Amino acid sequence: MPQLRKAVWFILLLFVATTAVARPKIGLALSGGGAKGAAHLGVIQLLEQQQIPVDYVAGTSMGAYFGAMLAMGYSAQEIEALTFSIHWESGFVDEVTRSELSLRSKKQKDDYQISLPLGVNQDGVQIPKGAVQGQTMAEILRFATSNLEALESFDELAIPYRAVATDMAAMTPYILKRGDLAVAMQASMSVPGALRPVELDGRLLSDGGVVNNMPVDVLKKMGADIIIAVDIGARLKTQEELNSAVDVVDQLSVFLTRSGTERQIALLTSEDLLISPDVTGIDTADFSLMPLAVERGRQAGSAPIAELAKRIGSADQGKEYLAYQQEVEQRRAQLKLHAEFVVNRIELNNKSGLSDEVILSRLQLNQGELLSKAQLEEKISQLYALGTFERVDYRISTEQGENVIHLDTQEKRWGPGYFDMKFGLQENFTDRTEANMGLGFTLTNLNQYGAEWRNEFEIGSIKRLFTEYYTPFTDNLKYAWLASAEYDKRSRRLYGLSEDVEYLEANFSDTTFLTQVSWNYKPWQEWGLGLAAKHGDIELKGLSGDARYWLYGPYLKFDYDTLNSWAFPTQGKMLDVGLTLYHEDVQGFSSVLAPSFETRWKVPFGWNKHNFNWFGEYGSTGSDFVVPTDAQDLGGFLRLSGFKYEQLSGRYKALTGLMYFYQLHYFQSPVLQAPVFVGGSLENGGVWNSYDDISYSSALWAGSIFAALDTSVLGPVVLAYGHNESEQTLYLFIGNDF
């Protein structure tokens, strides 16, 4: 009996001792709020400083990102370094930079700068499911997770984790608890209407903030005893703040999010913490203010977290927290990351009209190649830059000791026909306004090489119709063939034809046919060999009769363009050279050989916000007609500034200049993202009718000063003053037509 009594007492003492040292399980609920989410980092820093372990973490939207970084075992310092190294604004813009585009795409985008969210397929006119497809956001999140392999459960992370998304069909919360961590974060962060929903597990998933912006209930189901909930959600406006229709619509959106958050707050007990940082003045897209949000998070969480540390602390808290950190590190070490890896195999899931061979050739991944995650993302960007894909995604897995890249390519589902537009304005505030609008339509992927049928229609100062068929004919897309037809009608002022008349008004009508074979040695470099034929009509106003002519002959051209911007480049180079051996047949005159030669160049250089651009052009025509059928012209902003547009014309032109521009400001908002420049130029050149007349002494000096806004939608908006040796002009430009 005494032995039994001792055994019972021993068991009771052991139970009491175990109960005494068992600490409560801590869960961290992080809400969504865009840039305001950096307040979560401030809370994480405090938890680390107060040595409070986190056993479970769940997040929504931006909270899903910070929660995932913590769940991977990153320290507060690592999360801070990673977060502030990311250019978050780029995650909401899918368009690749100009430098990454092919030469053909550069020229098309420079001219037709307005991409329309419209497409045509067999079901009629379509629009995409989101303003942004999430390609760049996916890159950001893959980079942040170092290409972590998919997990059977997010309980396998260093800290068990859940993300909350919205099932858009049922409008109910969907808890992401397994799979690819980067995809789970993106599903939780995909703001409806802005970012395309993520298709996962047979569902269409968007930002979880709509239904559960602060997942307290999720942590309770995971087993948390004490919950630390961080609420950065927007608050309802007062009646005095409802001053516009936008305010009213925003109020409805906030109400939906806020009502869900209030339901989660109601689940908290007296043992839990609710931390509500003051994020006043920090908007969802104010990513430049993330450091301020971190400090606001620290301010709000300092006192309650210190109180919690006292409440759950023990004499051995330091040792216990060290043991906790060691366990987190051990679990972190078991995660299969791919910051750097050898490519063993590629498995392609191709849902596009391009052949597998074209895609793999463009990707340029070689078996046995050692790649960093940054190098792989660069190759993915080069593939995406073809412009035909809605998304290009990948994941890496280890199978039988081999690194396998699973690549998914999804063609744009609102195509294969796409629209774009152009708008251009040139105003000199005295006697002439040049304005043009154009609509473009491209039917893509007409064969396995990505053949295109391009059509353009323009009205305004220039009337123009254009159609072109273009097709590569090799898997590496280096060789291509095109055929095009173009009708162009415009009015021009021809200066210098008579000493008695300042200028003559002339109408030029041209129909041009081209066929060309191209060699694209690099995506930004092209050699072209072709045949051109132009049938034209020149009508001089005030004079009887007109002149009809034919120009025809072979041509050779070379184009090289790596500029990061057409109007205000800071990197790259551009060189265009073209030689055409025209034969000129003018009605009533004998046929003559009239070779034409043109070249242009731009070379930017500079430092910090100070930029220079050395530019120039040269052209000549062998036309022997009194009005050159292929006239060379100068005049206008940066083309002997001070003269009017095309004021100088003749058979030969030469120009060189140096432009300086300084970035004065950068507008950064969801509506407008554009640098503001101020600068000036110095130019020298002229136009001559005889080659023997070309000389430095007869060239003219000109200069300009300007202010410009380089928008991503309309192109540059420039207000400039130009002055030369004889004239001065004020200019307003919208678009790239200068």
Side-chain angles (χ1 to χ4, degrees):
M1 194 69 178
Q3 296 293 332
L4 179 61
R5 189 179 294 114
K6 288 180 180 180
V8 172
W9 275 108
F10 177 77
I11 292 172
L12 287 173
L13 288 171
L14 182 63
F15 174 77
V16 171
T18 304
T19 304
V21 299
R23 64 172 180 81
K25 297 294 184 180
I26 308 294
L28 182 62
L30 303 177
S31 58
K36 295 178 287 187
H40 297 319
L41 177 55
V43 173
I44 292 170
Q45 291 172 346
L46 291 170
L47 293 172
E48 193 173 283
Q49 291 168 10
Q50 293 289 346
Q51 298 187 335
I52 296 177
V54 176
D55 301 287
Y56 309 105
V57 60
T60 300
S61 197
M62 201 63 172
Y65 161 78
F66 282 102
M69 297 302 99
L70 182 64
M72 288 187 68
Y74 292 170
S75 68
Q77 184 177 4
E78 288 175 308
I79 297 173
E80 180 178 13
L82 175 63
T83 301
F84 291 159
S85 70
I86 294 172
H87 185 228
W88 288 100
E89 291 86 351
S90 67
F92 298 90
V93 180
D94 270 343
E95 290 189 10
V96 297
T97 63
R98 188 182 187 278
S99 303
E100 296 174 298
L101 293 173
S102 68
L103 188 65
R104 175 179 172 82
S105 296
K106 284 186 177 83
K107 291 185 176 181
Q108 183 174 309
K109 183 64 177 175
D110 289 342
D111 196 21
Y112 278 71
Q113 69 271 42
I114 306 172
S115 297
L116 297 178
L118 293 173
V120 174
N121 57 26
Q122 65 271 19
D123 297 322
V125 177
Q126 305 290 318
I127 61 174
K129 292 181 180 179
V132 178
Q133 303 311 305
Q135 179 71 24
T136 309
M137 184 61 76
E139 177 183 342
I140 287 172
L141 299 178
R142 285 193 300 258
F143 191 87
T145 58
S146 290
N147 293 315
L148 172 67
E149 290 195 18
L151 300 170
E152 288 296 322
S153 170
F154 289 155
D155 289 345
E156 299 173 32
L157 290 164
I159 300 172
Y161 167 81
R162 301 289 186 269
V164 180
T166 299
D167 183 335
M168 294 302 291
M171 285 307 293
T172 56
Y174 187 73
I175 311 305
L176 296 149
K177 58 182 75 172
R178 61 177 176 82
D180 189 312
L181 184 61
V183 174
M185 282 190 285
Q186 184 159 14
S188 183
M189 298 170 70
S190 295
V191 181
L195 287 168
R196 187 200 74 168
V198 172
E199 297 177 31
L200 186 65
D201 299 337
R203 292 174 169 83
L204 207 60
L205 303 178
S206 283
D207 194 308
V210 177
V211 290
N212 188 351
N213 199 42
M214 195 172 66
V216 172
D217 58 343
V218 175
L219 290 172
K220 286 184 175 292
K221 290 179 181 178
M222 294 176 75
D225 300 310
I226 297 176
I227 293 174
I228 303 170
V230 186
D231 178 15
I232 58 166
R235 303 302 195 268
L236 291 172
K237 293 180 172 66
T238 64
Q239 181 171 326
E240 291 72 22
E241 294 173 316
L242 297 173
N243 297 316
S244 68
V246 174
D247 292 334
V248 173
V249 173
D250 185 57
Q251 183 84 327
L252 292 173
S253 175
V254 171
F255 171 76
L256 290 173
T257 303
R258 196 70 221 160
S259 58
T261 301
E262 294 298 332
R263 288 193 294 270
Q264 295 298 311
I265 292 175
L267 299 175
L268 297 174
T269 70
S270 59
E271 295 294 310
D272 302 322
L273 295 186
L274 175 61
I275 300 173
S276 301
D278 178 10
V279 288
T280 304
I282 305 175
D283 289 334
T284 302
D286 283 339
F287 293 102
S288 62
L289 297 180
M290 290 180 88
L292 175 60
V294 174
E295 184 57 33
R296 297 278 183 85
R298 290 182 63 88
Q299 291 171 0
S302 180
I305 289 176
E307 182 63 30
L308 177 63
K310 292 178 182 179
R311 177 157 44 107
I312 67 173
S314 68
D316 294 327
Q317 183 173 350
K319 292 181 180 179
E320 292 173 357
Y321 190 73
L322 179 60
Y324 162 80
Q325 286 183 311
Q326 290 173 342
E327 181 184 356
V328 169
E329 284 296 325
Q330 289 173 359
R331 291 170 64 90
R332 175 180 177 176
Q334 295 172 4
L335 298 176
K336 295 180 180 179
L337 308 180
H338 294 281
E340 189 175 67
F341 58 95
V342 173
V343 179
N344 299 121
R345 197 167 80 246
I346 302 172
E347 291 190 0
L348 174 61
N349 178 26
N350 180 17
K351 296 180 180 178
S352 76
L354 297 178
S355 69
D356 291 359
E357 292 75 18
V358 167
I359 290 174
L360 293 174
S361 177
R362 180 74 173 193
L363 194 61
Q364 294 184 333
L365 280 177
N366 302 313
Q367 191 173 10
E369 183 180 4
L370 177 64
L371 283 178
S372 68
K373 59 182 181 181
Q375 289 171 324
L376 178 57
E377 290 294 351
E378 183 178 351
K379 291 179 179 291
I380 295 295
S381 294
Q382 290 173 357
L383 178 60
Y384 184 72
L386 287 174
T388 190
F389 300 111
E390 182 176 326
R391 285 282 294 271
V392 177
D393 291 308
Y394 74 89
R395 62 182 178 86
I396 303 172
S397 67
T398 305
E399 300 176 11
Q400 298 178 343
E402 290 187 329
N403 294 319
V404 182
I405 298 178
H406 302 268
L407 183 67
D408 297 309
T409 56
Q410 174 64 60
E411 187 170 341
K412 294 176 180 176
R413 280 170 284 192
W414 61 94
Y418 309 103
F419 293 95
D420 51 17
M421 288 183 63
K422 71 174 293 183
F423 174 75
L425 174 71
Q426 298 186 34
E427 173 64 63
N428 63 20
F429 299 100
T430 54
D431 63 344
R432 192 164 186 181
T433 299
E434 300 280 344
N436 248 64
M437 292 186 64
L439 178 66
F441 176 74
T442 307
L443 193 59
T444 65
N445 288 353
L446 296 176
N447 61 23
Q448 64 178 339
Y449 302 113
E452 296 180 353
W453 181 28
R454 173 72 178 172
N455 298 275
E456 296 172 0
F457 168 70
E458 296 180 25
I459 58 174
S461 301
I462 300 173
K463 282 74 175 175
R464 180 173 173 268
L465 291 171
F466 173 80
T467 187
E468 178 188 76
Y469 179 80
Y470 172 88
T471 179
F473 49 83
T474 59
D475 290 337
N476 59 15
L477 308 183
K478 287 189 175 182
Y479 298 94
W481 171 77
L482 66 82
S484 70
E486 178 180 11
Y487 172 76
D488 184 298
K489 182 176 182 179
R490 68 183 70 198
S491 296
R492 290 182 57 179
R493 291 179 176 179
L494 302 178
Y495 294 81
L497 296 181
S498 170
E499 294 182 358
D500 300 325
V501 180
E502 180 184 5
Y503 61 83
L504 290 175
E505 294 278 0
N507 290 327
F508 282 75
S509 300
D510 298 319
T511 302
T512 305
F513 303 93
L514 291 178
T515 183
Q516 175 183 308
V517 177
S518 303
W519 175 39
N520 298 281
Y521 177 66
K522 295 289 185 181
W524 57 85
Q525 179 177 310
E526 177 187 80
W527 288 91
L529 178 64
L531 292 172
K534 179 188 292 188
H535 177 62
D537 183 279
I538 304 175
E539 178 187 358
L540 295 175
K541 294 182 179 180
L543 300 179
S544 60
D546 56 4
R548 292 186 174 89
Y549 63 90
W550 276 96
L551 295 174
Y552 54 90
Y555 66 86
L556 177 67
K557 58 182 293 190
F558 171 76
D559 292 339
Y560 179 98
D561 188 344
T562 58
L563 297 177
N564 61 346
S565 167
W566 173 254
F568 299 99
T570 58
Q571 296 177 350
K573 296 178 179 64
M574 187 279 288
L575 175 65
D576 290 348
V577 182
L579 173 63
T580 306
L581 297 179
Y582 276 135
H583 281 78
E584 180 184 68
D585 284 338
V586 180
Q587 184 179 12
F589 295 84
S590 60
S591 174
V592 297
L593 183 64
S596 174
F597 177 80
E598 286 197 70
T599 182
R600 298 180 303 165
W601 65 88
K602 288 186 178 183
V603 182
F605 57 96
W607 66 95
N608 296 330
K609 296 182 179 181
H610 299 276
N611 300 280
F612 292 88
N613 180 18
W614 175 47
F615 62 92
E617 55 185 287
Y618 174 83
S620 66
T621 176
S623 174
D624 199 34
F625 192 55
V626 61
V627 178
T629 56
D630 189 31
Q632 305 296 317
D633 64 77
L634 289 175
F637 179 52
L638 299 181
R639 304 183 76 237
L640 292 183
S641 299
F643 288 112
K644 300 177 181 66
Y645 176 64
E646 293 183 342
Q647 183 170 343
L648 306 179
S649 59
R651 290 176 173 79
Y652 298 90
K653 70 176 177 183
L655 172 74
T656 186
L658 185 67
M659 178 175 72
Y660 166 79
F661 56 99
Y662 174 81
Q663 183 176 318
L664 189 66
H665 180 65
Y666 195 98
F667 282 110
Q668 186 69 62
S669 73
V671 178
L672 180 64
Q673 298 181 23
V676 179
F677 298 113
V678 292
S681 68
L682 186 65
E683 308 141 39
N684 182 261
V687 171
W688 300 270
N689 276 317
S690 170
Y691 181 80
D692 295 334
D693 293 337
I694 301 175
S695 66
Y696 176 77
S697 60
S698 61
L700 302 172
W701 285 97
S704 71
I705 55 174
F706 61 85
L709 185 68
D710 195 8
T711 73
S712 58
V713 178
L714 291 176
V717 179
V718 183
L719 181 64
Y721 167 76
H723 188 93
N724 58 58
E725 297 175 22
S726 59
E727 297 192 31
Q728 56 186 352
T729 304
L730 188 65
Y731 304 103
L732 173 65
F733 285 90
I734 299 177
N736 283 318
D737 294 334
F738 64 85

